Amino acid sequence: MNAPAAPLLQVRNLRVEFPTRRGTLLAVDDVSFDIAPGEVLGVVGESGAGKSLTGNAIIGLLEPPGRIAAGQVLLEGERIDNLPYERMRRIRGAKIGAIFQDPLTSLNPLYTVGRQIVETIQTHLPLSAQAARERALDLLKQVGIPAAEQRIDHYPHQFSGGMRQRVVIALALCAGPRLIVADEPTTALDVSIQAQIIALLKRLCREHGTAVMLVTHDMGVIAETADRVAVMYAGRIAEIGPVRDVIKSAAHPYTRGLMGSIPSMGVRSARLVQIDGAMPRLTEIPRGCAFNARCTEAGERCFRERPELMAAGATRAACWRHDTGGVGAVRTKEAAHA
Amino acid sequence: MLAFILRRLLQSIAVLLTVGIVAFFLFRYVGDPINAMVGQDTSMEERAELREKLGLNDPAPLQFVRFIGNAAQGKFGLSYRTSEPVGRLIVERLPATLELALCAAIFAMVVGVPMGVYSGLYPRHWISRVMQAVSLIGVSLPTFLIGILLILVFAVMLRLLPSFGRGDTVALGGWTTNFLTVKGLQALILPSITLGLFQLTLIMRLVRSEMLEVMRTDYIKFARARGLSDRAINFGHALKNTLVPVITIAGLQLGAIIAFAIVTETVFAWPGMGQLFIQSVQFADIPVMAAYLLLIAFLFVAINLVVDLLYFAVDPRLRSNVGAGKGAH
């Protein structure tokens, strides 16, 4: 897919490191992608694949000692990864909104939701207290809070989990950001509410023309919501492409494994596929392709050289199977360990 | 809310009655009060008459009821030592102790909270490390040593501040105050620091650890993601969330400051209740000791009640949960 001429967000060769006593951990390694205005990019992967860290790096809230070691993040063509704290703060909330995993703990328990929304609005927009409150009320209605006039003066503990996540979405939207980084926005919610929240997020972002980076480990959510999807594995992007193509004809063996693990209502007899083994620890990423130990199609080359993203049908995948050179002589797992 | 206050009031009364029993037994069984009241050459008949007159031959429960009844009206009898009414002795001494305790508490809060906030926000900064080290000294040095060291430096060596007494006081009705004269205020400085230093370090360490905790929470992270200014995050969101435990400890410590002003008052010859208590112990002046005991208990209970009510002002979750008993999560 050709990105439009002016992508909203560009991530270029992003590298996030964690200095530890036993050496530097490379948590995000050479990750590049674009998000177009109004586009929903799903970022999927197992725990520890680096997807949340990528999101945090974009909004400039990596928790120390984690740091951006290399690469660039550009918003509307301007670098934002090296801004001073105070300038980045003005971008957060105003141009990039964020939603985190747990709506139960994202709101300050001691203030009414109205106060928290008004406070955020007034931080970024030159509105009077009265106008900000009206805007807050309007936002609460938009995110579907019933009886918003009363609820605006309620405290977070008086809302259910789903309602709180709606408030969090209102907070993320309240200064009209161009991009929302949503980090597992539905993981902590009941399954019945997850779909509502995802639908709400999708609808609001379409109405406001807001782009979304949707970080999740739930392939189902991605399939429903995203325009494009990036599959992350061990800190790198394994495959990226339009969501239909990635689901229908995944080019990376890992992506295929992920797709195989989604239960399907139609195919009753098929057993769910599971990927053997676990993602390598960040300290023990093997030479060559990080997935080589779990891959059923790995060849000799996969243990020697690291594949970069390359064209693979409709998507781009980091797999030697799509290189003219191929994977080389097939090696079994036993041979690899010998 | 009202039910809660009523419940706490009943609990408070139960606590005071218990302390009353202890005070009563002090009266009854620490020596014979008749011996303390009369001279050596008083005859046995006179003693028996006095015993009958004071009601000391009545059954113990009756005496206890009478004791509590009198105590509730502030009547604790005559001091064995000075033969003055105990109530008047205590009321004379109360302002000195309360003013000292108030100054110490304000000193501890005004200095301790900002220090705690700073070292909680920047735990790795060298200033924070220095404050941690100093607070360790504050926690571990005994009060009398701090007082004596302060006297040595500021009164003896530098000759800046008085080393004992209240200085000049002004009487406002029955209340003598230090706050209206320069000398009175000067006299307050060293004892207040001595008395407040331990509480200061305690509050600082508490605020620090609470701040460290709160700064890690999701709602602080989310507040950052909302682009709020550091000031709004640190003071509007983080500090307020540390207040419940800080109020608890500060309240309990205010009671402790009043009760344990004894040492500081002794070191600085401060004419407060603590000094009165020490003198009473030396003379086995049981009415004064019993009254002191009850008064301190009353202050503790009253402060605790206020602290409980302050929770409601700070934390909205409590306001709506009082009836239901459990929080809705």
Side-chain angles (χ1 to χ4, degrees):
Chain A
M1 174 177 164
N2 289 323
L8 176 68
L9 181 84
Q10 293 169 281
V11 177
R12 292 275 162 273
N13 310 100
L14 183 71
R15 185 182 168 97
V16 174
E17 289 180 354
F18 279 84
T20 67
R21 237 169 274 165
R22 279 168 293 164
T24 304
L25 291 183
L26 191 52
V28 175
D29 183 11
D30 200 21
V31 163
S32 301
F33 59 85
D34 291 348
I35 299 180
E39 183 186 38
V40 179
L41 175 74
V43 178
V44 69
E46 291 168 64
S47 311
K51 45 193 202 310
S52 292
L53 283 174
T54 307
N56 286 347
I58 289 170
I59 58 177
L61 286 181
L62 277 176
E63 282 179 29
R67 62 189 186 93
I68 297 179
Q72 298 183 350
V73 180
L74 294 91
L75 183 74
E76 297 174 319
E78 311 233 348
R79 275 188 75 171
I80 58 169
D81 57 288
N82 56 355
L83 289 182
Y85 181 85
E86 190 58 22
R87 277 188 62 197
M88 188 60 204
R89 172 179 83 72
R90 288 172 198 284
I91 288 177
R92 275 197 298 270
K95 287 189 172 172
I96 307 181
I99 299 172
F100 294 130
Q101 181 169 352
D102 195 347
L104 300 183
T105 55
S106 284
L107 299 169
N108 188 335
L110 301 187
Y111 293 120
T112 64
V113 298
R115 197 196 134 156
Q116 297 187 51
I117 299 174
V118 167
E119 168 189 53
T120 314
I121 292 172
Q122 287 195 307
T123 300
H124 298 295
L125 303 174
L127 291 180
S128 69
Q130 185 56 38
R133 190 179 158 89
E134 271 160 31
R135 189 183 167 93
L137 205 55
D138 184 49
L139 279 161
L140 286 178
K141 285 176 187 159
Q142 281 187 43
V143 296
I145 304 274
E149 285 84 359
Q150 284 95 56
R151 300 295 263 164
I152 191 169
D153 292 319
H154 285 187
Y155 289 91
H157 71 270
Q158 293 165 300
F159 290 78
S160 67
M163 284 295 150
R164 272 191 241 187
Q165 191 63 305
R166 286 169 193 263
V167 172
V168 169
I169 291 173
L171 272 164
L173 283 172
C174 66
R178 303 294 316 278
L179 171 71
I180 285 184
V181 176
D183 190 353
E184 308 263 9
T186 57
T187 307
L189 299 174
D190 285 351
V191 178
S192 56
I193 295 167
Q194 285 184 2
Q196 288 176 21
I197 296 291
I198 287 293
L200 173 75
L201 190 62
K202 201 175 164 182
R203 176 173 64 77
L204 286 176
C205 289
R206 194 177 296 135
E207 283 172 13
H208 292 251
T210 310
V212 181
M213 176 177 163
L214 181 63
V215 176
T216 178
H217 61 255
D218 187 341
M219 226 20 237
V221 168
I222 298 273
E224 255 174 68
T225 319
D227 301 312
R228 283 193 308 140
V229 56
V231 179
M232 286 191 73
Y233 186 80
R236 295 170 71 90
I237 292 183
E239 180 163 5
I240 183 167
V243 71
R244 290 178 66 87
D245 298 306
V246 171
I247 288 174
K248 280 200 178 148
S249 53
H252 197 287
Y254 177 63
T255 318
R256 246 178 283 141
L258 274 186
M259 299 304 147
S261 63
I262 307 173
S264 158
M265 296 290 275
V267 199
R268 212 176 278 180
S269 57
R271 290 191 63 151
L272 288 181
V273 182
Q274 62 179 32
I275 309 173
D276 287 332
M279 202 170 64
R281 275 192 244 163
L282 290 176
T283 46
E284 296 161 359
I285 292 178
R287 233 167 79 102
C289 175
F291 188 58
N292 58 19
R294 301 167 76 184
C295 186
T296 50
E297 300 160 53
E300 170 265 339
R301 191 180 181 187
C302 303
F303 291 87
R304 199 158 33 82
E305 287 177 70
R306 168 166 293 182
E308 300 297 329
L309 281 175
M310 58 191 84
T315 72
R316 290 165 60 75
C319 179
W320 288 127
R321 289 169 57 252
H322 305 283
D323 187 61
T324 44
V327 294
V330 174
R331 276 169 56 164
T332 59
K333 275 186 202 166
E334 288 71 26
H337 288 296
Chain B
M1 179 88 186
L2 199 67
F4 173 81
I5 296 174
L6 271 172
R7 199 159 61 229
R8 293 313 308 250
L9 273 176
L10 285 177
Q11 285 170 359
S12 307
I13 291 170
V15 169
L16 285 178
L17 278 178
T18 313
V19 176
I21 291 174
V22 174
F24 173 69
F25 277 101
L26 263 183
F27 256 123
R28 280 287 286 158
Y29 301 110
V30 178
D32 185 351
I34 299 296
N35 278 345
M37 290 168 88
V38 299
Q40 279 192 337
D41 48 351
T42 315
S43 70
M44 291 305 279
E45 290 74 37
E46 282 171 304
R47 285 171 190 244
E49 198 181 321
L50 187 60
R51 194 180 297 276
E52 185 61 37
K53 201 175 113 196
L54 286 176
L56 292 178
N57 291 331
D58 294 341
L62 185 65
Q63 288 191 49
F64 176 66
V65 170
R66 194 157 54 218
F67 170 76
I68 292 294
N70 286 335
Q73 300 168 47
K75 291 187 207 153
F76 292 95
L78 296 180
S79 159
Y80 296 166
R81 187 166 57 92
T82 64
S83 301
E84 284 177 83
V86 172
R88 200 171 80 212
L89 271 181
I90 292 219
V91 167
E92 272 172 11
R93 302 294 193 109
L94 194 62
T97 296
L98 287 187
E99 285 190 353
L100 175 61
L102 185 71
C103 287
I106 290 173
F107 165 70
M109 290 293 284
V110 167
V111 181
V113 171
M115 279 172 78
V117 169
Y118 187 88
S119 62
L121 289 176
Y122 312 104
R124 285 156 205 275
H125 198 281
W126 66 269
I127 294 177
S128 304
R129 292 177 197 274
V130 169
M131 289 195 290
Q132 278 290 93
V134 171
S135 78
L136 203 62
I137 298 171
V139 167
S140 48
L141 276 188
T143 309
F144 69 87
L145 190 59
I146 293 169
I148 290 169
L149 286 177
L150 285 176
I151 289 176
L152 180 69
V153 174
F154 291 99
V156 177
M157 287 160 72
L158 299 175
R159 297 185 179 281
L160 286 174
L161 297 164
S163 64
F164 66 90
R166 285 185 83 184
D168 298 343
T169 58
V170 176
L172 298 172
W175 185 279
T176 55
T177 179
N178 270 40
F179 293 139
L180 297 176
T181 62
V182 176
K183 283 208 168 154
L185 288 172
Q186 282 178 341
L188 263 173
I189 295 175
L190 291 185
S192 299
I193 293 176
T194 307
L195 186 55
L197 196 64
F198 179 80
Q199 329 296 335
L200 182 153
T201 53
L202 200 70
I203 287 172
M204 180 205 136
R205 287 172 161 260
L206 182 73
V207 171
R208 178 191 132 95
S209 64
E210 289 292 323
M211 280 297 274
L212 284 172
E213 187 102 338
V214 169
M215 293 311 280
R216 276 197 296 267
T217 58
D218 288 346
Y219 55 81
I220 294 297
K221 194 181 166 202
F222 188 56
R224 287 198 198 292
R226 288 192 273 145
L228 301 186
S229 68
D230 275 1
R231 214 181 57 192
I233 292 172
N234 295 343
F235 295 101
H237 287 266
L239 185 58
K240 191 168 178 190
N241 272 284
T242 68
L243 281 185
V244 167
V246 171
I247 288 174
T248 315
I249 298 298
L252 289 177
Q253 289 303 316
L254 183 61
I257 284 177
I258 296 170
F260 303 126
I262 293 176
V263 175
T264 307
E265 288 184 4
T266 306
V267 170
F268 286 92
W270 191 264
M273 289 190 305
Q275 209 189 38
L276 177 70
F277 180 73
I278 291 287
Q279 290 163 354
S280 308
V281 169
Q282 283 162 357
F283 283 84
D285 195 346
I286 288 167
V288 177
M289 286 157 68
Y292 180 79
L293 191 66
L294 273 173
L295 182 69
I296 294 294
F298 173 77
L299 286 173
F300 257 98
V301 165
I303 290 167
N304 269 313
L305 195 64
V306 171
V307 165
D308 283 339
L309 294 179
L310 276 178
Y311 289 167
F312 288 93
V314 173
D315 196 333
R317 284 167 294 189
L318 294 171
R319 290 204 279 274
S320 56
N321 288 347
V322 170
K326 281 243 165 163
H329 284 291

